[in-house]
Amino acid sequence: MSLYKYLVISVVISLVSIVNTNSQSQPGSISYNWKSVQIVGGGFVDGIVFHPTEKGVCYCRTDMGGAYRRNPQTLCWEPLLDWLSYDDLNLMGIESIALDPTNPDKVYLSCGTYTLPHVPNGAVLRSNDRGETFERTDMPFKMGANEDGRGNGEKMAVDPNNGEILFLGTRNDGLWRSTDGALSWSRVESFPDISENPPANMKNQDSLRWWSRMNQGCGVVFVLFDSKSASPNNTGSIIYVGVSLKNRYNIFRSTDAGITWQTVPGQPLKYRPTHAVLANDGDMYITYGSSPGPSRMTDGAVWKLNTSTDEWTEITPDKPDPQNRPFGYAAVSVDAKNPQSIIVSSYHRYEISNGEDIFRSLDGGKSWKQVFLNGGILDSALAPYTSRTGIHWLFDIEIDPANPNHAMFTTGFGGYETFNLTDMDKSKPTIWSVMTTGIEETVALDLLSPPQGAPLISAIGDYSGFVHWNLEKPAPEGNFDNPRFGNTNSLACAEKNPEIIVRTGRATNFNPGKNIGYSTDGGKIWQPTETLPFPQSSLGWVTVSADGKTWIWSPDPVRSGWGPGSTVQPSAVYLTTDKGANWLQCKGIPDNTRVLSDGINSNTFYGMNLFEGKLFISRDGGISFLEHKIELPGGLPKQSENRGDRRGGQDQLYATPNREGDLWLAAFEGLYHSYDGGTTFTKLNGVEQVHAFGFGKSAPGMDYSALYLIGTINGLHGIFRSDDIAKTWTRINDDQHQWGLLLQITGDPKIFGRVYIGTHGRGIIYGDPVKK
């Protein structure tokens, strides 16, 4: 491996800026059929809610991919919030679900993904038809469905004695109540102060953020009604509220429908409550952890409260040791027909030989048996990639109130279910199958549809990525292996030799240091490169020359850590011509610049710094780059944080397939085209905002790729296709198919009209035109 010192050769060329005078009114539309590319799961399903009396009514929530209702006939989950627009992307994170015990048609969702200052407030969605349609009430506070404690719950509940009354717990704004079926809300001012404050001498903002992340709870974590005990004024039930506090009171009770509140006497204070359930005999079971999770837990317990006598009993199945056996407890469920039959789940028990487990008791917690230690079997056939990932993040576990043999638990990639839970009482193994069919929660960081071979190859956050030979079925071989990544950030193939495919990411502990992989047979077999440009090389962007002989990689900057005082070191751009046996530092191009290859000329590569107006072009196979000046009509855009999601496809340069020197500049606020390798750029009128851009097979009778764009054209936001080099655009989605935040788009070069959409938490969607 040889490195060359950084060298900049600057050649400034006066470029001609041209404005495309073509304009049109709001784009027309055509109908598309939309389906999910089958991965199955791929994200944190953090809550499951069964209706207590109506068999087959079940919902689940995700931390950033919306909510689902299960179809009891097909056992597939059906998404409920695909209609959410880009403007409402924050509502794709579901903080809590509540069902009306007296009306199985009613469902309530508290929505909001983050509590950050720049994020909009949350909302409560209410439905009278099991989620077919929703009405909305905007709330005056934020929710944090993708923050610490998101697996705790449920924060919202409906009064079983009066379906018009709901209580909703928040992270930072106390307890709220509605008396009109979630149409309006007011804060319960009498509820105790549950705020947590950092040390008085901590002033540094980085330190404060780090303290909040590592040392703070998550506000109210559960609301429970005692359905058998109406309050004295007969306006509601006794209410229990748990709060993510430790070393102070954290379980509160109201016996007058929420007018006044008292602490439950004798309660344990050492840990933060995570889940609670009230059995039909009046006993309440509560799981505790040293943190809310998924942040690390080092300690925890399980307790039982006799709500009639206020007697507390510790029933912890396996006591943690913070020094030698650190873990906690995440969730608990009770059999609706047998109050002595309970199950609880552990969290962060990875360092123990048997790992996470579910503990089951038939005597109210006096004795326990472990599900998986006693022969429980995990069947991953419905999502083969899960066989490589152990169960983790079991933050909800539920026994079906209509069937004590049926239980579910959630994981970071979806969840499992069994239909023979009680067999373990006969010393027989329980069989747990993937239960997440229909749920697609991955985040696509890059999409590649090669000119030949597999329909699609995906780069996925957390779960590496997949070669999708059959869009209708999960990949039977699972996700990428050899090397196996956590995140895969970038994919590239050789335009004229598409069996050569390269991917970059960050390897898991199974393949440490193997952060780039390649295939020479279209993705059937993968292998890592022999070397890296430097030992910490990972993630970033990769491109492959049209003939497949040259690969150029711009790895991510190298971080020294994530807390206060951490540093970031930039990374140079490197090329290899021998499949990674040796690497050469590219000259004349700044550190961390994304490079792309020309669609025809294997010696030509491009890089760009949009905000400085610099285009970098190599004509010698990437060995050296010359700097050119970019001039755009109206001037260069200003760099700011308000330019879409940084993982999206905006503010990037694209090279048209099978065309030499044909470039598209997809700036966030407009689209530009160059036919001459970047010497002149034409601005396309009507394109007001770009979030992603891509190419697909040309329309019949055309010899230029179809263009696909996510953004806003003439005031209309959506997904668009152009068959005539951006002279006209057609919207191809509708208001029922918006999926919140969209990051990636590419057409299929093999099938005209087919398009692939990479969402933020709703998996990968693909569409085909409706046949007339």
Side-chain angles (χ1 to χ4, degrees):
M1 178 172 64
S2 58
L3 302 176
Y4 283 79
K5 293 183 178 179
Y6 177 75
L7 176 65
V8 175
I9 302 175
S10 179
V11 177
V12 179
I13 298 177
S14 177
L15 303 184
V16 180
S17 301
I18 301 174
V19 178
N20 185 334
T21 57
N22 291 319
S23 63
Q24 64 176 117
S25 58
Q26 202 170 72
S29 63
I30 58 175
S31 296
Y32 259 62
N33 288 320
W34 297 100
K35 296 181 180 180
S36 290
V37 175
Q38 291 299 301
I39 292 175
V40 180
F44 188 19
V45 176
D46 46 8
I48 302 166
V49 179
F50 283 98
H51 194 275
T53 59
E54 186 76 5
K55 182 179 180 180
V57 176
C58 181
Y59 298 83
C60 75
R61 58 183 170 93
T62 70
D63 52 5
M64 59 181 192
Y68 293 79
R69 177 190 62 233
R70 203 175 204 201
N71 185 316
Q73 279 74 47
T74 65
L75 299 185
C76 291
W77 297 91
E78 299 171 348
L80 301 180
L81 301 182
D82 285 357
W83 51 271
L84 282 173
S85 68
Y86 173 71
D87 288 341
D88 287 324
L89 63 90
N90 181 52
L91 303 186
M92 288 293 282
I94 312 303
E95 187 89 287
S96 189
I97 296 177
L99 306 182
D100 186 339
T102 63
N103 186 344
D105 292 334
K106 289 189 174 184
V107 57
Y108 302 89
L109 311 177
S110 62
C111 307
T113 310
Y114 296 107
T115 60
L116 298 169
H118 65 277
V119 174
N121 288 337
V124 173
L125 304 181
R126 59 190 186 278
S127 174
N128 293 319
D129 53 14
R130 303 193 184 189
E132 292 294 326
T133 61
F134 283 96
E135 295 179 285
R136 168 176 173 172
T137 297
D138 290 324
M139 305 301 283
F141 52 80
K142 302 176 190 300
M143 302 184 197
N146 197 30
E147 296 181 353
D148 211 25
R150 56 194 182 271
N152 299 170
E154 291 293 318
K155 295 174 179 283
M156 182 168 56
V158 181
D159 189 333
N161 294 313
N162 183 346
E164 293 295 298
I165 296 175
L166 294 88
F167 279 77
L168 168 64
T170 71
R171 290 174 174 268
N172 302 312
D173 295 274
L175 184 68
W176 290 67
R177 171 174 49 206
S178 175
T179 58
D180 55 10
L183 179 64
S184 63
W185 296 81
S186 60
R187 184 166 182 164
V188 181
E189 299 294 346
S190 61
F191 192 71
D193 177 17
I194 58 172
S195 58
E196 292 182 282
N197 299 310
N201 61 350
M202 186 176 289
K203 305 296 183 183
N204 179 272
Q205 289 300 310
D206 287 342
S207 297
L208 286 169
R209 283 192 290 268
W210 191 252
W211 177 89
S212 175
R213 180 179 177 183
M214 302 304 295
N215 299 285
Q216 198 169 21
C218 56
V220 175
V221 295
F222 67 78
V223 176
L224 287 175
F225 286 94
D226 185 346
S227 60
K228 293 186 176 181
S229 180
S231 60
N233 57 10
N234 202 32
T235 60
S237 306
I238 291 176
I239 312 165
Y240 293 87
V241 173
V243 184
S244 183
L245 299 169
K246 66 179 179 180
N247 300 319
R248 54 189 281 201
Y249 292 112
N250 51 44
I251 308 283
F252 302 90
R253 176 170 58 200
S254 175
T255 57
D256 53 13
I259 298 173
T260 61
W261 296 86
Q262 302 81 37
T263 58
V264 178
Q267 62 182 273
L269 307 179
K270 185 178 180 182
Y271 315 108
R272 302 181 189 273
T274 54
H275 263 270
V277 62
L278 191 59
N280 63 17
D281 64 355
D283 284 343
M284 181 186 295
Y285 296 94
I286 308 167
T287 51
Y288 291 88
S290 56
S291 80
S295 56
R296 187 185 184 195
M297 283 185 194
T298 59
D299 208 349
V302 183
W303 285 76
K304 177 168 67 174
L305 167 66
N306 183 322
T307 59
S308 299
T309 65
D310 287 340
E311 177 186 2
W312 289 84
T313 305
E314 184 176 6
I315 56 169
T316 306
D318 180 20
K319 289 191 176 183
D321 177 346
Q323 301 302 319
N324 301 306
R325 303 177 71 247
F327 66 97
Y329 286 90
V332 58
S333 184
V334 63
D335 187 337
K337 298 178 175 60
N338 180 1
Q340 295 294 300
S341 176
I342 58 177
I343 51 177
V344 301
S345 58
S346 64
Y347 174 61
H348 220 281
R349 201 166 171 266
Y350 313 135
E351 298 174 19
I352 299 172
S353 58
N354 296 305
E356 300 288 27
D357 214 329
I358 297 167
F359 299 83
R360 175 169 165 83
S361 175
L362 297 178
D363 52 16
K366 294 177 182 177
S367 60
W368 298 89
K369 289 180 68 175
Q370 291 180 232
V371 168
F372 296 110
L373 185 63
N374 284 279
I377 298 169
L378 292 173
D379 179 3
S380 61
L382 295 177
Y385 74 95
T386 63
S387 65
R388 296 174 176 160
T389 305
I391 56 173
H392 61 286
W393 292 20
L394 282 68
F395 271 92
D396 198 8
I397 183 164
E398 300 290 341
I399 300 174
D400 186 342
N403 180 5
N405 264 313
H406 182 211
M408 295 182 179
F409 68 84
T410 68
T411 72
F413 52 73
Y416 285 88
E417 67 183 335
T418 183
F419 289 92
N420 71 328
L421 179 63
T422 62
D423 276 2
M424 70 177 296
D425 308 331
K426 309 165 193 171
S427 298
K428 297 180 179 179
T430 53
I431 299 172
W432 299 78
S433 301
V434 170
M435 62 82 170
T436 15
T437 299
I439 297 174
E440 295 292 341
E441 204 192 344
T442 55
V443 176
L445 302 178
D446 201 1
L447 298 175
L448 172 64
S449 185
Q452 66 184 47
L456 181 69
I457 302 174
S458 61
I460 297 298
D462 293 338
Y463 295 100
S464 192
F466 300 83
V467 180
H468 304 276
W469 297 100
N470 184 340
L471 303 176
E472 303 286 337
K473 296 180 180 180
E477 70 276 13
N479 48 0
F480 295 143
D481 203 6
N482 191 36
R484 189 189 314 174
F485 297 161
N487 281 11
T488 299
N489 272 34
S490 184
L491 295 164
C493 77
E495 188 69 32
K496 295 187 289 187
N497 188 6
E499 290 198 334
I500 296 178
I501 303 170
V502 184
R503 56 184 171 91
T504 61
R506 177 171 287 137
T508 64
N509 292 335
F510 297 98
N511 307 110
K514 305 292 187 180
N515 296 327
I516 180 170
Y518 68 95
S519 173
T520 59
D521 59 4
K524 297 183 180 70
I525 299 173
W526 296 91
Q527 56 188 309
T529 59
E530 291 182 27
T531 67
L532 301 177
F534 57 94
Q536 297 83 19
S537 301
S538 69
L539 303 171
W541 299 281
V542 69
T543 192
V544 177
S545 62
D547 62 7
K549 296 179 180 179
T550 302
W551 311 345
I552 297 183
W553 184 15
S554 177
D556 262 11
V558 179
R559 301 186 65 95
S560 66
W562 292 95
S566 61
T567 61
V568 179
Q569 295 295 325
S571 167
V573 180
Y574 299 88
L575 71 85
T576 180
T577 57
D578 53 13
K579 298 182 176 63
N582 296 279
W583 295 88
L584 174 72
Q585 183 174 335
C586 301
K587 297 180 289 184
I589 188 165
D591 294 346
N592 302 118
T593 299
R594 178 177 177 264
V595 175
L596 69 154
S597 60
D598 188 82
I600 287 287
N601 193 325
S602 298
N603 288 318
T604 302
F605 294 87
Y606 308 93
M608 179 183 68
N609 186 320
L610 174 61
F611 304 110
E612 294 183 5
K614 295 178 180 179
L615 180 66
F616 304 93
I617 303 177
S618 173
R619 307 286 186 189
D620 58 6
I623 295 172
S624 62
F625 285 76
L626 299 180
E627 179 184 309
H628 304 265
K629 184 179 180 181
I630 297 175
E631 291 182 355
L632 299 177
L636 296 171
K638 303 296 183 184
Q639 189 168 10
S640 70
E641 293 183 358
N642 189 26
R643 300 187 63 82
D645 193 285
R646 61 182 175 81
R647 296 162 294 181
Q650 72 282 0
D651 294 336
Q652 293 185 19
L653 199 63
Y654 295 83
T656 308
N658 300 310
R659 297 269 171 165
E660 184 170 358
D662 196 301
L663 302 176
W664 293 82
L665 198 168
F668 179 67
E669 59 280 275
L671 182 65
Y672 304 83
H673 186 204
S674 173
Y675 286 101
D676 52 17
T679 301
T680 58
F681 278 94
T682 301
K683 183 174 183 180
L684 286 302
N685 277 352
V687 179
E688 300 162 359
Q689 201 172 90
V690 180
H691 294 264
F693 183 79
F695 306 96
K697 183 178 176 62
S698 59
M702 297 291 292
D703 64 353
Y704 194 96
S705 296
L707 307 178
Y708 293 89
L709 182 147
I710 299 169
T712 303
I713 298 179
N714 289 323
L716 180 65
H717 191 85
I719 304 169
F720 301 91
R721 190 186 84 210
S722 175
D723 300 335
D724 54 10
I725 320 179
K727 293 183 178 68
T728 60
W729 293 92
T730 302
R731 190 188 187 204
I732 60 175
N733 72 315
D734 54 50
D735 288 350
Q736 293 303 306
H737 299 91
Q738 300 193 76
W739 308 290
L741 175 59
L742 307 179
L743 300 175
Q744 311 291 336
I745 190 168
T746 186
D748 191 315
K750 303 174 285 297
I751 303 173
F752 169 65
R754 176 168 289 178
V755 62
Y756 304 97
I757 310 293
T759 75
H760 182 259
R762 253 298 274 128
I764 303 169
I765 309 292
Y766 76 100
D768 290 299
V770 173
K771 295 182 180 179
K772 297 181 181 180

